[in-house]
Amino acid sequence: MNEFDQFMKHRLKVKYYIRYTDDFVIVSKNQDYLEKFLPQINEFLETKLALELHPKKIIIRKLHQGIDFLGHVIFPKYRLIRIKTKHRIFTKIRKRIKEYNLGYITKITLEQSLQSYLGALSHANTYELRERLLNEVWFSLRN
C-alpha cells in the first residue's frame, strides 16, 4: 500500500489524506475535487495493486456529519464510537460475563477483556459509555 500512499501524495497531490490498512479518507472543502479523484484512484488500485473500491463504501459527506473511520465517527473537535461498534462491545462483554459465570474463563480473563474494551473506548468521547460498561460488569459479578 506504500505505492498507493505515494500515488495519493505525489501524483494526485492530495493534501489531507489518511490511510490505515485498506481504509482511507480524503478531506476537502470542494466536492468536485473529491469526485475528480475517484476514477484515477480506481484505475490505480485496479492496474497496480489488483484491488478495487467497494462501491457502497465510497462516501462523500459534509465534515459536520462526521467521518466514519475505523469504528469511530470523527468530527473536527471530538470523536465518537460508531453505534455498531458500541453494540458489538456490549454483546461481547456480555458473552464474556456468561463464560465467566459458567466457569469457562477466569476472572482475570474477564478483567483483561474489560480493560481491552476500556482502552479502545478511551480514544473517543466515551465517558458515559465506559461507566455503563463498568457498571454492567460490576453488577453482573455481584449476582
Side-chain angles (χ1 to χ4, degrees), residues 13 16 28 36 53 57 61-62 117 120 132:
K13 302 200 184 315
Y16 300 107
S28 173
K36 87 173 185 178
L53 293 173
K57 294 186 178 181
R61 58 192 311 174
K62 305 279 186 201
Y117 292 126
R132 230 177 76 209

Side-chain angles (χ1 to χ4, degrees), residues 15-55:
K15 189 173 181 180
Y16 300 107
Y17 159 76
I18 187 168
R19 180 187 61 80
Y20 182 79
T21 61
D22 64 345
D23 292 331
F24 67 93
V25 173
I26 303 169
V27 179
S28 173
K29 292 180 180 180
N30 185 331
Q31 183 172 339
D32 293 334
Y33 171 85
L34 296 171
E35 289 173 349
K36 87 173 185 178
F37 287 136
L38 282 175
Q40 296 171 68
I41 291 169
N42 212 20
E43 181 184 341
F44 179 86
L45 289 172
E46 286 178 6
T47 58
K48 302 286 185 186
L49 301 177
L51 297 171
E52 60 185 60
L53 293 173
H54 192 293

Side-chain angles (χ1 to χ4, degrees), residues 1-10 17 19 44:
M1 291 298 287
N2 179 52
E3 281 182 73
F4 183 63
D5 295 338
Q6 299 305 317
F7 171 76
M8 295 296 284
K9 287 293 190 176
H10 300 294
Y17 159 76
R19 180 187 61 80
F44 179 86

Side-chain angles (χ1 to χ4, degrees), residues 53-65:
L53 293 173
H54 192 293
K56 292 184 180 177
K57 294 186 178 181
I58 299 169
I59 302 166
I60 297 176
R61 58 192 311 174
K62 305 279 186 201
L63 195 56
H64 73 272
Q65 295 171 312

Side-chain angles (χ1 to χ4, degrees), residues 10-140:
H10 300 294
R11 183 135 170 255
L12 297 183
K13 302 200 184 315
V14 175
K15 189 173 181 180
Y16 300 107
Y17 159 76
I18 187 168
R19 180 187 61 80
Y20 182 79
T21 61
D22 64 345
D23 292 331
F24 67 93
V25 173
I26 303 169
V27 179
S28 173
K29 292 180 180 180
N30 185 331
Q31 183 172 339
D32 293 334
Y33 171 85
L34 296 171
E35 289 173 349
K36 87 173 185 178
F37 287 136
L38 282 175
Q40 296 171 68
I41 291 169
N42 212 20
E43 181 184 341
F44 179 86
L45 289 172
E46 286 178 6
T47 58
K48 302 286 185 186
L49 301 177
L51 297 171
E52 60 185 60
L53 293 173
H54 192 293
K56 292 184 180 177
K57 294 186 178 181
I58 299 169
I59 302 166
I60 297 176
R61 58 192 311 174
K62 305 279 186 201
L63 195 56
H64 73 272
Q65 295 171 312
I67 298 169
D68 189 345
F69 189 61
L70 304 177
H72 293 86
V73 180
I74 303 165
F75 295 91
K77 296 187 181 193
Y78 63 97
R79 235 179 315 189
L80 299 175
I81 293 290
R82 185 189 302 149
I83 292 172
K84 186 176 173 181
T85 304
K86 183 183 349 177
H87 290 300
R88 190 177 309 120
I89 287 172
F90 276 89
T91 299
K92 287 184 176 185
I93 201 69
R94 287 178 187 128
K95 181 182 178 208
R96 295 304 253 171
I97 291 167
K98 188 175 181 180
E99 291 170 343
Y100 170 73
N101 288 335
L102 292 170
Y104 297 152
I105 64 171
T106 65
K107 187 173 185 179
I108 291 171
T109 302
L110 174 61
E111 289 172 352
Q112 288 172 337
S113 293
L114 174 62
Q115 290 305 316
S116 175
Y117 292 126
L118 291 173
L121 292 173
S122 72
H123 297 284
N125 299 63
T126 57
Y127 175 80
E128 290 178 12
L129 188 60
R130 285 181 280 155
E131 290 297 307
R132 230 177 76 209
L133 187 64
L134 284 166
N135 283 334
E136 180 141 347
V137 172
W138 187 78
F139 281 118
S140 67

